Amino acid sequence: MTAMPKWADAVLVPLISLLIAFVISGLVILAIGENPMEAMRIMVSGALGSTYGWGYTLYYATNFIFTGLAVSVAFHAGLFNIGGEGQAGVGGLGVALACLYIPWPHWSLALAAALVASAVFGAAWAAIPAWLQAKRGSHIVITTIMFNFIASALLVYVLVNILRPTGSMDASSARFAEHLRLPRLNEILALVGIPFNNRNPANISFLLGLVACVAVWVLMWRTRLGYELRAFGKSEKAAVYAGISPVKITMAAMLISGALAGMMAVNTVMGEAQRLILNSVEGAGFIGIAVALMGRSHPFGVLLAALLFGFLYQGGAELALWTKIPRELIVVIQALVILFTGALDNMVRRPVETLFLMARKGR
Amino acid sequence: MDFATLIQILDSTVRLATPLLFACLAGLFSERAGVFDIGLEGKMLAAAFLSGAVAAVTGNVWLGMFAGIGASLLMAAIHGLASITFRGNQLISGVAINFLAAGLTVLLGQNWFGLGGRTPALTSGGRFEPIILPFAEAMAPVPVLGPIYSELISGHSFPVYLAWAMVPATAWLLYRTRFGLRLRAVGENPAAVDTAGVSVTAIRYAAVAICGVLCGLAGAYLATGLAAGFGKDMTAGRGFIALAALIFAKWRPWYALGACLLFGFLEAVGNRFPNIDLGLIVLPAQFMQALPYILTVVILAGFVGKAIPPRAGGEPYVKER
């Protein structure tokens, strides 16, 4: 017998966890002598009070949609892909190579190529840990952590020694051709007559993120592979008994996961910086973990959680601008969200379950 | 490369290996008891921050060290609560602890000192002073043995010697005491320990607490021994290198010493010679930085002797009813 109705499991428990995380964050703000209410007001007005703020919120959210989906797909197969950071970084290398070395006539072709390149590069970076897990039983969490560090060393090397234009002191690639600039969200919205601020990096990648959400939903709940992934994640033994190959599923889950993480780079590298810079991922790969946990690994939940973290990111930047609270407050909130929705899930869940059981008995 | 350079590199190896060794032994206690810990980094960072802060304010390095251990123990308590009491995912808890430490240290550091997350630079009393061993001065002129004794063995600070002493201590505790036997058993087959009437929860909490103390020492040495004060994100992945060393050492104390010295040596060589010219190819500095991680992946892949983790690692223990 399940103790709780489905809605409580999917909505109530994460919301309570989020509330606890926010209350503790408020106490932290109080402890450093600032006003939590005022901080919240600045964050809301900074991130959601103007289309400028919305632009940044959606730009950050786009990153988190991709990395959140990446972690979710692996979660469904019972794998913890902590390597989104490295996969997204290497995906960025794919985007840069596709945009720099092929003279595309139009941005739409370049976008398609960049998508494919980022997905292939990201998937390739996930492939080695996946293969080691599937064939050699090496723990995927440890190998993906190691691959994050290897990726960051590799990217520094490639940027400094290969992609950096001669004479430039900056460890970054050359700028992509101007006509490869992706359409910004304000240009797209202008087509349907909605005015939107034009000084923010939100671009067409946000729409791609929405498409990715739908695609992952179709994959997970409407295809045979998705069914096999979920079955494998629920019970490896039962899945093997049903004729599902562990090697195939581990590889498939991690390749899809790596590809999704890699595609994040289209937003940052092609959509915003228009060149590959050092540390272009900026921790978004790790935020994907919080987003996936918060969104209960469901694409719709991931979308909402990504928007929430996009809001926190932009709000946090405004907070750092207007108050003495540094941006790292967001890292604390992120940690608390991971802690309460992930590791301390049972602490929140058990009392709620007990309440539901009591209510049922009383009836 | 002459003898003096070699001594300098080895000297620097010993110092750089010290925080790794503390953190590696910390992870060893935790993981041998069946609690995975990828939050070594966060615990070290929290300890480095608080020890740097307290040492700067009080001017007393020992107070700083104990404060650092306290900070690390607090993080360990969260990890224990999540992974032992509430049977949560130990890996996710570790990730959360790493971010908590990364965020809180800068948040509090900026609030307390206003130096962008740094703590004020430590003066003499706030740092661990080098300990000159007896006869170091007198031995110095002796060829070969002299420099080895006076520069390589003598002249390190207290945590360095403590870290080395922790290796036989850990080996003794794990393999020669009842507590050690139980700790290892909890990591392999907790149900058997439970059947024998020993509390799995208590042993695991003890292991997590020891892990906290050792990570605290690692962090305190970083901020008050290696450097003169805490800097934002100063652990810089050392917690993960320690984790790599732990796997490299196959969860054994003496091997841990070897692995940490190897990784410390790689860092020392990388610091001294950014690019290594091998004649045919030049090894870039980034390769040296990535080498510990690459080696760990190779070991994990089982091509060079398989690393088998404790069998009950990562599994919360649920008592039979």
Side-chain angles (χ1 to χ4, degrees):
Chain A
M1 185 183 80
T2 49
M4 283 192 289
K6 219 173 169 183
W7 64 267
D9 182 58
V11 180
L12 192 62
V13 173
L15 273 184
I16 295 175
S17 303
L18 189 67
L19 198 67
I20 298 175
F22 273 143
V23 167
I24 296 182
S25 311
L27 291 177
V28 170
I29 296 175
L30 212 56
I32 61 172
E34 298 275 341
N35 181 350
M37 284 300 149
E38 177 64 13
M40 194 67 192
R41 196 193 61 74
I42 293 174
M43 286 177 80
V44 170
S45 75
L48 309 175
S50 62
T51 56
Y52 169 81
W54 268 102
Y56 269 97
T57 298
L58 293 180
Y59 166 72
Y60 290 127
T62 310
N63 294 340
F64 306 152
I65 290 174
F66 280 108
T67 54
L69 287 175
V71 177
S72 301
V73 170
F75 266 157
H76 276 297
L79 300 164
F80 187 11
N81 177 14
I82 213 169
E85 192 77 8
Q87 289 143 18
V90 176
L93 184 61
V95 172
L97 295 180
C99 290
L100 282 173
Y101 292 108
I102 305 172
W104 300 104
H106 191 256
W107 63 264
S108 56
L109 293 173
L111 175 61
L115 268 175
V116 172
S118 61
V120 168
F121 273 60
W125 203 248
I128 306 167
W131 187 82
L132 290 174
Q133 164 84 47
K135 284 282 189 187
R136 317 282 309 185
S138 324
H139 205 300
I140 195 118
V141 170
I142 308 292
T143 44
T144 46
I145 290 176
M146 300 298 142
F147 267 71
N148 281 341
F149 286 101
I150 301 173
S152 97
L154 177 77
L155 285 170
V156 173
Y157 177 77
V158 169
L159 275 175
V160 172
N161 295 294
I162 301 171
L163 286 183
R164 184 175 56 161
T166 36
S168 162
M169 292 305 288
D170 221 7
S172 60
S173 78
R175 233 183 141 74
F176 305 157
E178 190 47 37
H179 68 274
L180 297 187
R181 197 177 67 89
L182 292 181
R184 293 276 155 105
L185 206 57
N186 64 305
E187 296 162 5
I188 299 166
L189 287 176
L191 296 178
V192 285
I194 302 172
F196 199 80
N197 177 284
N198 62 359
R199 288 176 297 111
N200 66 74
N203 59 70
I204 195 169
S205 310
F206 176 67
L207 303 181
L208 296 175
L210 297 181
V211 173
C213 284
V214 177
V216 167
W217 181 81
V218 171
L219 171 79
M220 294 313 299
W221 281 278
R222 287 293 178 273
T223 68
R224 176 192 290 249
L225 179 64
Y227 172 76
E228 289 181 349
L229 280 177
R230 287 182 295 126
F232 182 77
K234 285 265 193 288
S235 164
E236 185 173 339
K237 273 184 192 160
V240 171
Y241 190 70
I244 295 169
S245 154
V247 174
K248 184 189 131 190
I249 292 303
T250 306
M251 290 303 289
M254 282 303 288
L255 289 180
I256 295 168
S257 179
L260 282 165
M263 281 194 273
M264 183 212 102
V266 171
N267 185 40
T268 53
V269 176
M270 201 178 174
E272 202 248 350
Q274 291 179 267
R275 58 190 180 137
L276 187 61
I277 53 175
L278 266 187
N279 191 20
S280 63
V281 188
E282 285 188 312
F286 293 120
I287 293 173
I289 300 166
V291 168
L293 287 169
M294 181 79 225
R296 283 290 185 267
S297 297
H298 189 283
F300 187 66
V302 166
L303 174 63
L304 291 181
L307 287 171
L308 175 77
F309 271 91
F311 153 73
L312 286 175
Y313 240 62
Q314 170 56 14
E318 292 284 321
L319 210 53
L321 204 61
W322 300 111
T323 69
K324 283 185 189 153
I325 305 173
R327 267 196 96 142
E328 276 73 14
L329 174 69
I330 305 312
V331 182
V332 176
I333 298 179
Q334 176 194 340
L336 292 170
V337 168
I338 294 177
L339 191 65
F340 285 105
T341 58
L344 286 173
D345 187 52
N346 280 333
M347 188 179 89
V348 182
R349 182 177 299 270
R350 279 184 207 160
V352 177
E353 274 180 357
T354 316
L355 276 179
F356 270 101
L357 282 176
M358 275 164 57
R360 198 173 297 169
K361 263 186 201 146
R363 200 162 38 194
Chain B
M1 188 163 59
D2 56 6
F3 185 64
T5 317
L6 182 69
I7 290 287
Q8 278 172 11
I9 289 182
L10 291 180
D11 184 50
S12 146
T13 298
V14 170
R15 274 182 281 114
L16 291 170
T18 298
L20 296 182
L21 190 53
F22 276 127
C24 185
L25 292 174
L28 193 142
F29 274 103
S30 183
E31 304 212 343
R32 266 304 180 87
V35 182
F36 277 162
D37 195 348
I38 57 174
L40 298 173
E41 175 90 358
K43 278 183 245 172
M44 272 167 86
L45 193 64
F49 167 69
L50 207 62
S51 63
V54 169
V57 173
T58 63
N60 185 329
V61 65
W62 297 101
L63 285 180
M65 186 184 86
F66 285 115
I69 292 175
S72 174
L73 272 175
L74 196 67
M75 295 283 171
I78 296 175
H79 190 55
L81 197 67
S83 49
I84 304 169
T85 303
F86 288 109
R87 291 176 208 149
N89 187 320
Q90 300 167 3
L91 300 165
I92 292 174
S93 166
V95 172
I97 283 166
N98 287 339
F99 286 120
L100 198 59
L104 274 182
T105 50
V106 178
L107 203 64
L108 293 177
Q110 173 65 18
N111 184 243
W112 293 351
F113 304 107
L115 296 170
R118 277 187 301 117
T119 61
L122 294 172
T123 46
S124 60
R127 290 190 69 190
F128 281 110
E129 298 294 332
I131 298 170
I132 309 293
L133 296 181
F135 312 118
E137 294 288 323
M139 283 280 283
V142 179
V144 185
L145 279 180
I148 289 181
Y149 183 73
S150 66
E151 284 185 40
L152 187 55
I153 299 177
S154 169
H156 293 291
S157 55
F158 164 74
V160 177
Y161 298 110
L162 181 64
W164 281 75
M166 283 313 296
V167 178
T170 303
W172 177 78
L173 193 61
L174 274 185
Y175 297 111
R176 292 281 180 272
T177 67
R178 189 191 312 202
F179 172 74
L181 177 67
R182 286 174 177 172
L183 188 144
R184 284 180 293 131
V186 161
E188 298 289 336
N189 190 347
V193 179
D194 201 13
T195 311
V198 179
S199 165
V200 174
T201 309
I203 300 267
R204 284 197 168 165
Y205 264 109
V208 168
I210 296 174
C211 170
V213 172
L214 289 172
C215 277
L217 289 167
Y221 178 67
L222 270 183
T224 60
L226 262 189
F230 173 83
K232 179 179 171 179
D233 200 23
M234 83 177 302
T235 44
R238 281 194 175 86
F240 294 109
I241 299 222
L243 199 64
L246 181 60
I247 296 160
F248 214 74
K250 300 174 186 170
W251 293 269
R252 292 183 177 104
W254 285 104
Y255 287 42
L257 176 63
C260 291
L261 283 176
L262 172 67
F263 291 170
F265 178 70
L266 290 178
E267 197 184 340
V269 171
N271 288 348
R272 176 97 190 184
F273 309 106
N275 297 303
I276 296 171
D277 195 346
L278 288 183
L280 285 175
I281 46 163
V282 177
L283 291 181
Q286 290 83 19
F287 178 77
M288 295 300 286
Q289 284 158 13
L291 199 53
Y293 306 113
I294 297 172
L295 287 176
T296 305
V297 172
V298 171
I299 285 286
L300 267 176
F303 295 124
V304 196
K306 196 154 178 58
I308 301 163
R311 201 168 351 139
E315 301 280 327
Y317 178 64
V318 185
K319 209 178 169 77
E320 256 183 274
R321 290 196 194 278

